[in-house]
Amino acid sequence: MTKFTRAALAALIAATPFAATAEVDLSGETVEWVIPFSETGGSAKWANFFAPLLSEALPGQPTVVVKFMPGAGSTKGANWFQEQEEGDGTLIFGSSGSTQFPYLLNDPRVRYEYNDWIPVMASGTGGVAYLEPEAGAKFDGSANALKDMDFIYGSQGATRLDLVPLLAWEMLGMNVEPVFGIKGRGDGRLMFERGEANIDYQTTSGYLGGSADLVEAGQAVPMMTWGALDEDGNIVRDPTFPDIPTFKEVCEATEGCETSGEAWDAWKAFFVAGFPVQKLAFLPKGTDQEVIDTYVAAFEAVRNREDFEQISTQTVGEYPVFVGEGAQRALQQATSVPQEAKDYVKTWLRDSYGVELEG
């Protein structure tokens, strides 16, 4: 297991070129920021948060428009972006853990190659699982009283980021039946709101932008977060949700759930790949270096705004942002999982959901 330490985070943040070139001028241009999910999920909220800030920071202050291209759990949009070679600075693409996981698991629908893309910004996030009130009343910090209940969960797909909650709930001994095929986590939240699902999870931006209101209204009860990593690579409480226990804490309190062994090692490996660095902004292959440097400098300016910590914490959570070389190193972290963890997850996907993936 690769440890994603605070020292590594500091190195990612520090490894950033700052100089923008005066040769790039985007005055009067429209920059399309393509998100391969629906407009209701966490990736949409992430891009919509950064888009106006990026517009202000780019030379010429172009209009930055977020466009959505959902389908196949983000694979449709990622495959489309692989074919793009518009290197003039008018196209960027946002990926998420649900784009990374199929790539890591050799999903046959993947026709994209991360090494062809040019990362200019990356950010971490967290995730919160929550229950409908009846189940929430039984939750006592363990899943012991939830094991005799049947749960329905709206899922983008077993090979997507949803494998993190699905594997966690199985390790807890819970009976969670996924309904596959939704186009974004926001659609899963809508299923929960309509009573079509009674358990859900959202990434931090999606939770803050929608699910937190359900909790405040008494329509949902937080169960656990996936946590964050400390300087030694240990899972600790998510800084955005310090009052909510982590999956590790709930597992330790639940009979039959172990925080060691193959299942735990596999879960943690995919958590590390999917959350500390989850969302990335890319320029297409073939982009000129001047354009790359301009975007790196613009995202650096966004990150260095005096009000950035305050406004980002309220919208996307309290997590690091990486740019330039730091984003490149973050991408390497996000697309690296030990083979043993991959093998375990592929076997689990086959046995639990009939998903056959190449070795």
Side-chain angles (χ1 to χ4, degrees):
M1 175 67 64
T2 301
K3 292 185 176 180
F4 200 73
T5 66
R6 286 182 181 169
L9 292 178
L12 290 173
I13 292 172
T16 303
F18 296 101
T21 67
E23 299 174 11
V24 177
D25 184 1
L26 294 171
S27 299
E29 298 285 355
T30 296
V31 175
E32 292 190 351
W33 189 336
V34 175
I35 297 296
F37 302 99
S38 69
E39 65 275 13
T40 59
S43 291
K45 292 177 174 59
W46 169 76
N48 282 322
F49 167 75
F50 276 103
L53 306 181
L54 177 62
S55 176
E56 292 180 17
L58 285 169
Q61 297 189 330
T63 301
V64 180
V65 177
V66 180
K67 300 189 72 172
F68 303 99
M69 191 180 293
S74 81
T75 302
K76 175 184 175 182
N79 287 342
W80 171 86
F81 184 67
Q82 179 68 30
E83 299 174 356
Q84 308 308 306
E85 296 184 2
E86 301 172 23
D88 60 356
T90 60
L91 174 65
I92 56 177
F93 180 78
S95 78
S96 178
S98 285
T99 321
Q100 289 142 219
F101 283 10
Y103 173 84
L104 289 168
L105 292 168
N106 305 119
D107 190 307
R109 291 169 292 186
V110 169
R111 298 290 185 269
Y112 52 90
E113 175 50 65
Y114 270 103
N115 292 324
D116 290 343
W117 304 350
I118 303 166
V120 288
M121 187 271 283
S123 63
T125 191
V128 183
Y130 51 94
L131 307 161
E132 53 83 27
E134 180 183 354
K138 295 184 177 182
F139 179 67
D140 60 358
S142 79
N144 291 331
L146 304 177
K147 294 182 180 182
D148 61 349
M149 299 186 68
D150 293 325
F151 292 95
I152 300 294
Y153 171 67
S155 173
Q156 296 178 87
T159 63
R160 273 53 187 170
L161 197 62
D162 287 350
L163 76 81
V164 170
L166 288 171
L167 181 55
W169 290 324
E170 181 168 307
M171 291 170 64
L172 290 171
M174 296 171 62
N175 181 27
V176 178
E177 183 70 25
V179 176
F180 295 126
I182 64 171
K183 295 183 178 181
R185 285 267 23 99
D187 299 316
R189 187 186 69 249
L190 292 175
M191 286 182 61
F192 184 91
E193 290 183 31
R194 294 192 296 258
E196 299 166 359
N198 53 0
I199 192 169
D200 191 38
Y201 121 85
Q202 296 289 322
T203 57
T204 296
S205 52
Y207 185 86
L208 293 174
S211 304
D213 291 339
L214 298 177
V215 173
E216 187 175 351
Q219 299 172 2
V221 177
M223 179 184 181
M224 59 190 178
T225 72
W226 312 132
L229 295 179
D230 68 8
E231 59 187 17
D232 296 317
N234 299 310
I235 291 180
V236 296
R237 291 205 172 187
D238 188 315
T240 305
F241 308 105
D243 297 328
I244 303 178
T246 66
F247 165 55
K248 182 174 186 290
E249 292 175 76
V250 175
C251 182
E252 289 171 338
T254 300
E255 296 175 6
C257 190
E258 301 290 339
T259 55
S260 62
E262 286 187 321
W264 173 258
D265 290 345
W267 181 88
K268 186 177 179 182
F270 276 87
F271 159 74
V272 170
F275 284 89
V277 178
Q278 183 190 99
K279 302 189 186 300
L280 298 104
F282 295 93
L283 292 169
K285 58 186 176 183
T287 300
D288 291 340
Q289 188 61 49
E290 292 82 1
V291 175
I292 297 170
D293 293 343
T294 297
Y295 267 85
V296 168
F299 276 117
E300 180 63 31
V302 169
R303 188 177 69 175
N304 287 336
R305 288 172 56 118
E306 290 185 2
D307 62 347
F308 182 75
E309 181 177 355
Q310 177 184 358
I311 61 177
S312 64
T313 298
Q314 296 171 349
T315 307
V316 294
E318 189 177 337
Y319 307 102
V321 174
F322 317 112
V323 298
E325 292 181 14
Q328 181 63 57
R329 295 182 186 180
L331 173 61
Q332 293 172 3
Q333 175 70 30
T335 54
S336 300
V337 167
Q339 188 60 47
E340 295 83 358
K342 292 182 183 180
D343 293 342
Y344 180 91
V345 166
K346 288 179 180 180
T347 299
W348 169 71
L349 289 170
R350 182 196 65 207
D351 294 345
S352 297
Y353 305 112
V355 176
E356 295 280 356
L357 297 169
E358 295 180 3

